[in-house]
Amino acid sequence: MYHYGDYKTILSPKGGMNLYRGCTHGCIYCDTRSECYQMKNDLEDIEVKRNAVQILEVQLTRKRKKHMISSGSMCDSYIPLEEELQVTRRCLEVIARHGFGLSILTKSTLILRDLDLLTQINEQSKCVVQTTFTTFDEDLCRRLEPQVATTRERFEMLCAMRDAGIPTVVWLGPILPYINDSEENLRGLLDYCVQAEVKGILCFGFGMTLRKGSREYYYEQLDKLFPGMKDRYIADFGEDYSILSPHNARLWSIFEATCRKHGIIYRTDDVWSYLGEFPEREDQLQLF
């Protein structure tokens, strides 16, 4: 189910680009369900930004300086609807034609459809593909994130990007206390990152956040999937927004040591800087 919405701009002042609004992934921990985002429709009723491709064309034509464009932070650019509408692909064509960079986040292997354009953008300027890792356990993944590619499938997608010379970044989390906050889970996910030769890993601590709206939905899902777990959360965390695993310190030590050993960028500011940095080409420098 989807509908169209009218927008005057596609790019935010900082270069953010979200072509859809809403999500059909079904992740039990989804933050987008929070009341603060003021979703006018059900989350699964996707809003498509009308004339997004044409608006992006106009905005990029007016830009005097090229920069990185980021996509997927608020809504996955490769939700299943994209296979039919191809709004993301057509916007990538615009980005490639104008020589801008791209940083794109997705939980879907549908992105492999556009490997030709991602490669073109990376050869012209810079392209970084990002994905999230939550659990190494495939069965648990299908319970926590029922409508997306499994962790193994996302790992294989990262390997395809590696083989194409496209750098990648993993968002590690959320780590749900008492559910996937084990050392075994972390080491499995880090091993995937090492094998895929990721450039960086974003991790904001081993835990999760819960706002009004998302908390209620999450607790409903806990009752269905992990009977009794909701009561444990309420007893241990109450109405806290930021919820850390009791194993946070030990897990962070493992995470930090692994990243240092394999040369993976992991400090938050360093990863953000890498994602936002647009490379200056020799032909651009010669103009000055």
Side-chain angles (χ1 to χ4, degrees):
M1 181 167 60
Y2 69 95
H3 63 280
Y4 284 93
D6 294 309
Y7 290 79
K8 294 182 179 180
T9 64
I10 291 301
L11 288 179
S12 72
K14 293 185 177 181
M17 177 183 77
N18 286 291
L19 305 173
Y20 301 102
R21 185 171 171 82
C23 189
T24 55
H25 286 350
C27 303
I28 73 169
Y29 50 76
C30 179
D31 181 64
T32 308
R33 296 183 184 275
S34 302
E35 291 182 357
C36 66
Y37 295 115
Q38 299 179 333
M39 298 292 289
K40 297 178 182 179
N41 303 89
D42 291 339
L43 186 65
E44 292 79 10
D45 181 7
I46 304 298
E47 182 169 275
V48 183
K49 297 187 178 182
R50 196 191 314 273
N51 300 324
V53 182
Q54 293 83 355
I55 296 171
L56 180 63
E57 180 80 49
V58 171
Q59 286 193 269
L60 294 190
T61 300
R62 292 174 177 172
K63 294 282 186 181
R64 298 183 62 183
K65 187 175 181 181
K66 293 177 174 40
H67 57 75
M68 295 295 290
I69 295 172
S70 61
S71 182
S73 59
M74 288 298 296
C75 179
D76 198 319
S77 301
Y78 289 96
I79 55 176
L81 188 61
E82 165 62 18
E83 189 167 10
E84 171 191 347
L85 299 184
Q86 298 195 28
V87 178
T88 297
R89 179 169 178 84
R90 288 184 287 138
C91 283
L92 294 190
E93 291 173 342
V94 175
I95 292 170
R97 186 162 61 251
H98 287 274
F100 283 73
L102 175 70
S103 173
I104 189 164
L105 173 65
T106 183
K107 290 182 178 179
S108 173
T109 57
L110 179 58
I111 192 173
L112 292 171
R113 178 201 65 187
D114 297 336
L115 188 57
D116 58 332
L117 289 170
L118 300 173
T119 301
Q120 181 183 346
I121 293 170
N122 193 51
E123 290 175 347
Q124 293 175 173
S125 55
K126 177 182 173 184
C127 177
V128 184
V129 171
Q130 306 168 70
T131 195
T132 62
F133 280 172
T134 301
T135 176
F136 185 69
D137 184 317
E138 291 288 277
D139 291 333
L140 181 59
C141 179
R142 291 185 179 92
R143 300 168 77 189
L144 301 181
E145 306 164 328
Q147 305 299 328
V148 298
T150 67
T151 306
R152 176 73 192 185
E153 290 169 335
R154 279 175 257 172
F155 161 68
E156 292 171 350
M157 178 269 288
L158 292 179
C159 290
M161 297 299 166
R162 175 202 65 201
D163 295 343
I166 297 172
T168 56
V169 167
V170 163
W171 293 57
L172 189 57
I175 302 300
L176 314 180
Y178 317 129
I179 296 175
N180 66 328
D181 59 343
S182 68
E183 180 177 334
E184 179 184 14
N185 181 61
L186 174 59
R187 290 192 182 279
L189 295 178
L190 290 176
D191 184 56
Y192 272 167
C193 291
V194 171
Q195 289 185 58
E197 299 178 11
V198 303
K199 180 72 175 182
I201 303 176
L202 269 173
C203 181
F204 303 100
F206 293 90
M208 64 184 302
T209 57
L210 286 176
R211 293 185 174 98
K212 185 172 178 55
S214 62
R215 176 183 287 106
E216 288 76 7
Y217 181 79
Y218 181 61
Y219 282 172
E220 288 177 9
Q221 300 308 305
L222 289 185
D223 280 340
K224 295 177 182 177
L225 300 172
F226 309 97
M229 186 65 74
K230 179 182 74 174
D231 295 335
R232 189 174 183 183
Y233 268 71
I234 293 172
D236 290 356
F237 306 116
E239 296 292 310
D240 291 350
Y241 163 68
S242 182
I243 296 173
L244 279 180
S245 163
H247 310 302
N248 178 67
R250 179 167 57 87
L251 295 176
W252 184 267
S253 178
I254 295 169
F255 167 68
E256 188 174 44
T258 303
C259 289
R260 286 182 173 179
K261 178 180 179 181
H262 296 280
I264 298 172
I265 302 171
Y266 70 95
R267 296 187 186 279
T268 304
D269 289 346
D270 293 341
V271 180
W272 285 134
S273 294
Y274 172 72
L275 290 173
E277 182 182 21
F278 184 81
E280 294 286 356
R281 295 169 58 94
E282 285 189 19
D283 55 351
Q284 294 170 331
L285 293 173
Q286 288 172 359
L287 296 176
F288 297 94

